[in-house]
Amino acid sequence: MVGGAADGRRVFVSTLPAGPGERRLALAVVLVSLVIFLSAVPFATLPLGQVWAFIPIYQSALVVNDLITAVLLFGQFGFLRSRALLVLAGGYLFTAFMAVSHMLTFPGLFGPTGLLGAGPQSTAWLFMFWHGGFPLCVITYALLKNDTREIDGPAGRAGVAISSSIAAIVVVVGGLTLLATAGQHALPAIMRGNQYTAAMLGVVSTTWVLSLLALVILWRRRPHAVLDLWLMVVMGAWIFDIALAAVLNAGRFDLGFYAGRIYGLLAASFVLMVLLLENGKLYARLVQSTAEAEAANRAKSDFLSRMSHELRTPLNGIIGFSQLLELDSLTPEQRESVEHIQKGGRHLLTLINEVLDIARIEAGAISISLEPLPVTDVVGSALDLVRPLARGRRITLVDAVAGDDHVMADRQRLQQVLLNLLSNAVKYNRDDGRVEVSCTKAGSGSIRLAIRDTGRGIAPGMLERLYTPFERLGADRSGVEGTGLGLALSRRLVEAMHGTLHVESTVGEGTTFAVELPPAVGRSAVVAGTNGVPPSAATPKTFGTLLYIEDNPANLRLVERIVSYRPGLTLLSAVQGRRGLELARDHQPRAIVLDLHLPDLDGTEVLARLRGDPSTRDIPVVIVSADATPGQVTRLLAQGADAYLTKPLDVSEFLALLDRLFNRTATPCATTT
């Protein structure tokens, strides 16, 4: 078990050894970065226009990237309890908070000299503190990474360590911000307007040397994990960032200023991309692993649950505080900057939600409840939700779904899939276009829901990349918002409902997405007022108590309506299996109707307990389920069920069955499928 646990710990990017493929890829990234850097050096002092929107867009993206990276690293620390990971996660959190202070104090952005009481030196000094502090964290990480000692103890101890780390970082960032603003006169002047002073060279050289030192120490601390490899790439990008933005250029808003910040954003993205991509690979490995790796899979589910909360919390903070800024008196340029922050935050929040949904599906942690659904209702609801979006593009929505077809699906998930496909059909359509939804019977007997648009279509060579996460087929350059995860998520949801998702497209004409789902089995009547019940069914000839064990309120109301046609019947209901067993023992009903999917006990377990209790073993039990497979029916009848009914119920058939059970004829009850 010890060896298995050790193997399980080596699946994280912080412990997984870097292979030749990762080394070649990292080297290629460094070489490309070096070539671009050398090409930019001769033009670093070239003055460019003052694009004020660039600063909040760049800074907000940087903050979001670093926050998510910090949360993911804190999550890995929660499992591995490595001091090195705790320091590195704190380093990314430090850069996120310092980027916020740097943006707020930037002269001319939110105020003539910046906010927080900033002066002409504040922003430049915050940049130096920021770009000197992170390399120190990386150096500490490198020195600690081979330390086998862990922060041990119960799970709560990890939370205390993380909370203490966050508190320490807040104090440090607050102190440095205070020093660069209120205490700026105690620091040497390194800026004169938008130009650097002679003192800047010594200060920035120290910062640059720290980044170089971090790179050297990382290289010497072998063996290298995948995380170490990409941290070296990050430090290389930071060296280029500092060189272009604070050494080789002349001041703010020249080519070196902009190019250096682009390098900084790339540096913030490398480790995040590795962590997210590696997360997806982990699930595939865990599914195929042995019993020891299955324990790691359960730990991964706990990790996802924790990350779901931890990832949303900082993003909601960013969005909330940007909304507070909107309440202040801002110039049009400042208001536009705040809107960019909000837009970036909401985009990342949507991305995280979809990533977590896909991760839950792959880990088998998503709940799917299949039931018979009327196609017209689900399609109509989805069309209503997407209608405002279509109206803005003057796109005609056509509901060509007719008939009374029912499919076996999860209502919420099917609506999520249809809404995603309809939204894409509208977003990627042409103005004044058309979107049509139709329903037909497929050759395999399944129900086919087709959504056809009149957009530009998809080239045949790109169709195979359509369901790849984060792949938008170039749409990210079109200005259309999206995350590149919607189709990947929709396909997984449809497959989880035992269906398939297909696509057909013709360039210049449009695209058709088709969802094929199994039909509802055994449906022959639907309750609609009193019209669903034959006139003779309302004849009161049956008396006694009926117990219905069911947790779905809609199904419970349906049976209440049906039983109302037998005034002599008294209906008892229970939403949990254990409560149903108590009612059966206490009230001795003449018959029990039992659903198989209950929140506390499986329906088969409830049936077994009813048959094993002398006080309830002779009460007839009718199973009601959406599963109509022959094996399931045979198995439950063999375990003691008196009848098996499939959803949706045939009302007249159900009433006839109740009459037979309550009249206690000698004829065995028929099985209905």
Side-chain angles (χ1 to χ4, degrees), residues 558-576:
L558 172 63
V559 171
E560 288 175 348
R561 289 280 303 279
I562 296 175
V563 171
S564 69
Y565 288 94
R566 290 294 182 267
L569 289 183
T570 299
L571 180 65
L572 297 177
S573 62
V575 297
Q576 292 184 327

Side-chain angles (χ1 to χ4, degrees), residues 152-488:
D152 54 7
R157 294 290 298 274
V160 171
I162 292 173
S163 300
S164 301
S165 176
I166 294 174
I169 291 163
V170 170
V171 170
V172 170
V173 171
L176 292 176
T177 303
L178 189 64
L179 176 62
T181 52
Q184 60 184 297
H185 300 296
L187 299 171
I190 57 177
M191 292 295 299
R192 185 177 296 111
N194 284 332
Q195 305 301 312
Y196 303 144
T197 67
M200 169 66 91
L201 182 61
V203 175
V204 76
S205 296
T206 303
T207 305
W208 193 84
V209 167
L210 284 174
S211 296
L212 182 61
L213 183 62
L215 177 59
V216 171
I217 293 176
L218 272 171
W219 175 258
R220 292 176 62 86
R221 299 290 288 180
R222 299 169 183 268
H224 295 145
V226 173
L227 180 60
D228 303 333
L229 195 66
W230 285 100
L231 275 176
M232 285 188 273
V233 176
V234 168
M235 296 318 303
W238 269 57
I239 291 172
F240 298 149
D241 172 8
I242 297 171
L244 285 172
V247 177
L248 301 174
N249 68 328
R252 296 183 179 127
F253 301 112
D254 56 17
L255 188 141
F257 172 88
Y258 289 110
R261 275 152 179 77
I262 292 174
Y263 269 108
L265 183 58
L266 289 175
S269 303
F270 287 137
V271 171
L272 175 60
M273 287 189 295
V274 170
L275 287 170
L276 289 176
L277 292 174
E278 188 64 15
N279 240 18
K281 295 178 181 178
L282 288 176
Y283 298 120
R285 293 173 184 170
L286 291 173
V287 167
Q288 300 171 0
S289 63
T290 58
E292 291 85 358
E294 289 176 0
N297 189 30
R298 289 192 296 271
K300 200 66 183 177
S301 297
D302 295 338
F303 172 76
L304 281 174
S305 176
R306 187 180 308 167
M307 288 306 99
S308 176
H309 170 75
E310 296 295 336
L311 288 172
R312 289 184 178 95
T313 299
L315 281 177
N316 285 332
I318 293 171
I319 296 171
F321 283 114
S322 64
Q323 290 172 340
L324 290 178
L325 281 176
E326 273 191 321
L327 301 178
D328 295 337
S329 298
L330 303 177
T331 65
E333 292 81 6
Q334 293 167 349
R335 191 168 297 280
E336 181 183 2
S337 299
V338 173
E339 289 174 356
H340 281 298
I341 296 173
Q342 288 192 21
K343 184 177 180 180
R346 291 193 181 99
H347 177 81
L348 263 295
L349 187 59
T350 300
L351 173 65
I352 289 167
N353 288 337
E354 291 183 340
V355 167
L356 288 171
D357 260 351
I358 289 179
R360 289 190 188 101
I361 293 174
E362 292 178 346
I366 195 164
S367 175
I368 297 291
S369 178
L370 301 180
E371 59 178 323
L373 297 177
V375 173
T376 52
D377 288 356
V378 182
V379 170
S381 298
L383 285 172
D384 288 341
L385 291 172
V386 83
R387 211 173 296 280
L389 178 63
R391 191 179 298 117
R393 299 280 310 281
R394 302 184 304 280
I395 291 176
T396 303
L397 299 179
V398 179
D399 185 353
V401 177
D404 191 27
D405 291 316
H406 284 59
V407 295
M408 292 298 297
D410 183 298
R411 179 180 290 273
Q412 178 186 353
R413 298 302 181 179
L414 178 56
Q415 182 145 316
Q416 182 180 355
V417 170
L418 293 178
L419 185 59
N420 179 66
L421 296 178
L422 285 168
S423 299
N424 286 347
V426 171
K427 288 192 298 184
Y428 299 107
N429 212 324
R430 56 179 174 81
D431 289 342
D432 300 306
R434 173 186 172 97
V435 175
E436 179 179 307
V437 185
S438 60
C439 177
T440 57
K441 296 285 181 61
S444 60
S446 58
I447 304 296
R448 184 177 188 268
L449 288 171
I451 298 172
R452 185 182 186 281
D453 64 56
T454 55
R456 62 187 180 187
I458 305 170
M462 303 175 74
L463 289 176
E464 61 183 15
R465 295 155 47 196
L466 199 58
Y467 302 107
T468 303
F470 304 105
E471 176 61 73
R472 299 193 62 203
L473 305 183
D476 47 334
R477 298 188 295 272
S478 67
V480 179
E481 292 187 7
T483 62
L485 287 172
L487 286 176

